[in-house]
């Protein structure tokens, strides 16, 4: 799989960054991009997780075919200036990643959805934004689940400047408060050597790190990532004057496995979706009984949710 980090192509020359690092916000307007904070389309009085659980019952029996909402969005994109190189720049709620964040969405990002291709950072982040806005914002789930931007913590950046990445991770931990009650920090981690995605879920109060990989193997494939996470947790606890009463425990979760070379990003999104839907901080080593495997229909459901969200928020 190609490297999902910094994989945008076909941009104007002033937006191309050859070092694969995340670009900073443009100082000028590009194309007809938007930049706005969008209100939730879900009532904040809803029971957390209800939408995901009810949606899971309506998974289509056929897969690999495009739904009506996907075809509608595809038509909107085809008729927009995005097909001619324009982009959209979207401001996320600060609560998504604990700080101001914007995302650039371009033609190839939509094609990843429409063609079921390998996912890049823009799609990963936009689905995270969907989960935050639709399911979490204004509920107690915001105190239980936190997201870390893949554009700030990934293999490429760790190789270039591990100290800076570690400090960014500590800063993210500091934003959420004392972290003395159980909660999870989700880090969609990109390998940087082919674009493989894994999910790292950190419980700072119990010093447990869950590792979910839709391919075989464990965190030993990414020793620099593990070292960065461990040292960041230790530094955070030191800054908070917490006693490190025990070593950090890493747990490889026996999660659903992909059977092709493109689904890792979809699986990482589904992992986060299931954990939030079940409102579970403790992830069973053998994963959840409700989701022992994923069919193509489970992944198509994610795409339809994101397509509907993009249409509802008038991003095109």
């Amino acid at each position: 799989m190609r490297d999902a980090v910094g994989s945008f192509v076909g941009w104007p020359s002033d937006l191309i960054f050859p070092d694969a690092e995340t670009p900073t916000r443009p100082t000028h307007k590009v194309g007809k991009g938007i930049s706005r904070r969008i209100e939730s389309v879900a009532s904040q009085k809803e029971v957390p997780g209800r939408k995901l659980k009810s949606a899971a019952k309506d998974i289509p029996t056929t897969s690999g075919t495009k739904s009506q909402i996907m075809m509608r969005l595809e038509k909107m994109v085809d008729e927009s200036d995005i097909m001619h190189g324009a982009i959209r720049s979207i401001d996320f709620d600060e609560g998504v990643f604990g700080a101001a964040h914007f995302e650039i969405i371009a033609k190839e990002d939509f094609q990843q959805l429409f063609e079921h291709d390998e996912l890049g950072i823009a799609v990963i982040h936009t689905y995270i934004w969907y989960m935050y806005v639709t399911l979490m914002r204004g509920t107690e789930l915001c105190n239980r689940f936190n997201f870390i931007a893949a554009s700030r913590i990934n293999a490429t950046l760790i190789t270039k400047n591990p100290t800076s990445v570690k400090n960014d991770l500590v800063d993210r931990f500091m934003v959420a408060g004392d972290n003395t009650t159980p909660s999870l920090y989700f880090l969609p981690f990109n390998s940087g050597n082919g674009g493989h995605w894994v999910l790292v879920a950190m419980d700072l109060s119990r010093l447990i790190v869950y590792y979910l990989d839709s391919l075989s193997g464990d965190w030993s494939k990414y020793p620099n990532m593990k070292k960065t996470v461990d040292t960041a947790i230790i530094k955070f606890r030191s800054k908070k004057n917490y006693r490190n009463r025990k070593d950090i425990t890493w747990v490889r979760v026996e999660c659903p496995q992909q059977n092709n070379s493109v689904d890792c990003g979809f699986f990482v999104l589904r992992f986060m979706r299931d954990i939030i839907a079940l409102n579970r901080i403790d992830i069973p080593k053998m994963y959840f009984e409700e989701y022992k495997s994923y069919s193509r229909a489970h992944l198509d459901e994610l795409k339809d949710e994101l397509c509907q969200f993009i249409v509802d928020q008038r991003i095109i």
Side-chain angles (χ1 to χ4, degrees), residues 27-289:
T27 57
H28 60 283
K29 187 175 181 180
V30 181
K32 297 182 180 179
I34 62 175
S35 178
R36 61 189 176 203
R37 196 171 308 284
I38 299 177
E39 295 301 320
S40 173
V41 297
S43 169
Q44 296 181 355
K45 295 182 180 180
E46 287 190 80
V47 177
R50 177 178 294 172
K51 281 202 168 187
L52 287 183
K53 291 180 179 179
S54 61
K57 298 178 181 179
D58 301 321
I59 296 175
T61 56
T62 59
S63 62
T65 58
K66 294 181 180 179
S67 64
Q68 289 186 350
I69 186 59
M70 180 175 290
M71 289 188 291
R72 178 184 174 188
L73 178 60
E74 190 170 17
K75 185 174 185 294
M76 293 171 65
V77 172
D78 286 343
E79 295 174 351
S80 75
D81 56 357
I82 291 175
M83 295 301 295
H84 305 288
I87 63 173
R88 298 295 185 266
S89 179
I90 307 171
D91 285 334
F92 285 14
D93 303 63
E94 289 190 8
V96 178
F97 295 121
H101 181 88
F102 81 104
E103 199 65 51
I104 292 174
I105 302 181
K107 175 183 175 181
E108 65 272 14
D109 302 305
F110 291 104
Q111 290 175 334
Q112 291 165 12
L113 286 177
F114 302 151
E115 305 302 327
H116 197 87
D117 202 354
E118 303 103 340
L119 296 185
I121 282 180
V123 177
I124 296 287
H125 282 178
T126 305
Y127 189 82
I128 287 174
W129 180 42
Y130 154 76
M131 288 191 290
Y132 176 84
V133 169
T134 306
L135 304 165
M136 294 172 54
R137 190 172 63 185
T139 76
E140 54 90 20
L141 292 180
C142 285
N143 298 320
R144 292 173 63 80
F145 302 105
N146 303 279
F147 301 104
I148 299 168
S151 54
R152 303 296 297 274
I153 316 291
N154 57 65
T156 302
L157 297 181
I158 289 174
T159 300
K160 290 184 175 182
N161 196 337
T163 300
S164 176
V165 173
K166 177 191 68 177
N167 291 337
D168 281 347
L169 192 51
V170 173
D171 290 343
R172 179 66 183 101
F173 295 155
M174 296 293 289
V175 169
D178 60 9
N179 289 289
T180 56
T181 56
S183 63
L184 284 181
Y185 285 83
F186 292 124
L187 168 60
F189 180 79
N190 188 268
S191 67
N193 60 353
H196 182 56
W197 290 98
V198 302
L199 180 63
V200 179
M202 295 160 271
D203 182 344
L204 304 187
S205 67
R206 296 185 297 169
L207 293 179
I208 298 175
V209 179
Y210 298 100
Y211 179 87
L212 294 86
D213 189 344
S214 55
L215 294 178
S216 59
D218 60 20
W219 53 84
S220 62
K221 294 188 291 185
Y222 313 114
N224 291 338
M225 178 272 289
K226 182 180 185 299
K227 180 179 178 180
T228 299
V229 169
D230 286 346
T231 55
I233 293 174
I234 292 171
K235 182 175 181 178
F236 163 75
R237 294 184 65 84
S238 176
K239 292 183 72 170
K240 285 288 190 177
N241 294 318
Y242 297 154
R243 180 183 302 175
N244 289 319
R245 60 188 182 276
K246 62 178 182 178
D247 294 334
I248 299 170
T249 300
W250 282 67
V251 178
R252 187 190 190 284
V253 178
E254 299 294 330
C255 54
Q257 300 288 284
Q258 66 188 83
N259 58 9
N260 58 31
S261 62
V262 303
D263 278 350
C264 57
F266 293 103
F267 273 59
V268 163
L269 295 180
R270 188 79 203 198
F271 294 152
M272 291 188 285
R273 181 190 192 278
D274 292 346
I275 295 166
I276 294 172
L278 296 172
N279 198 5
R280 292 283 297 274
I281 300 300
D282 58 316
I283 305 175
K285 186 173 182 179
M286 302 305 295
Y287 205 54
F288 304 109
E289 288 295 331

